Amino acid sequence: MSTIAGLSGLSTVAPVLFKAACPECRARFELSAGALRLAIGASAKTTFYSFTCPECEAMVRKPAGERIVELLTGGGVRTLRLHSTP
């Protein structure tokens, strides 16, 4: 059995897309995990996700609660953990 024949039963996984909206131009669109960044801080005020609007190129930063963090990390969004300084 060749390697290719052995892999024929595998299914491909569609990339995860996240729905988003721009507060500047009000455009609505879908973004791939690679277009988003998640920063997890010590509090709700320092936990957020960000992206660049594909329509108007504005930098967008929005708060991320526990559910959003769970969805974004599960979908493969790059995460930066912010450390507080004493």
Side-chain angles (χ1 to χ4, degrees):
M1 178 198 299
S2 73
T3 303
I4 294 175
L7 295 176
S8 65
L10 296 177
S11 61
T12 58
V13 177
V16 176
L17 294 176
F18 298 93
K19 291 183 180 185
C22 177
E24 295 294 320
C25 71
R26 305 235 183 249
R28 295 187 177 278
F29 39 81
E30 292 183 336
L31 296 171
S32 68
L36 294 155
R37 296 292 176 266
L38 174 63
I40 300 176
S43 70
K45 289 183 180 182
T46 57
T47 300
F48 61 91
Y49 66 98
S50 62
F51 59 89
T52 300
C53 175
E55 298 292 324
C56 71
E57 298 185 0
M59 295 296 296
V60 178
R61 177 176 161 166
K62 294 187 174 187
E66 287 182 31
R67 180 71 178 137
I68 298 294
V69 169
E70 182 181 310
L71 291 170
L72 294 177
T73 55
V77 172
R78 260 190 245 166
T79 303
L80 172 66
R81 295 204 180 266
L82 304 175
H83 299 283
S84 60
T85 55

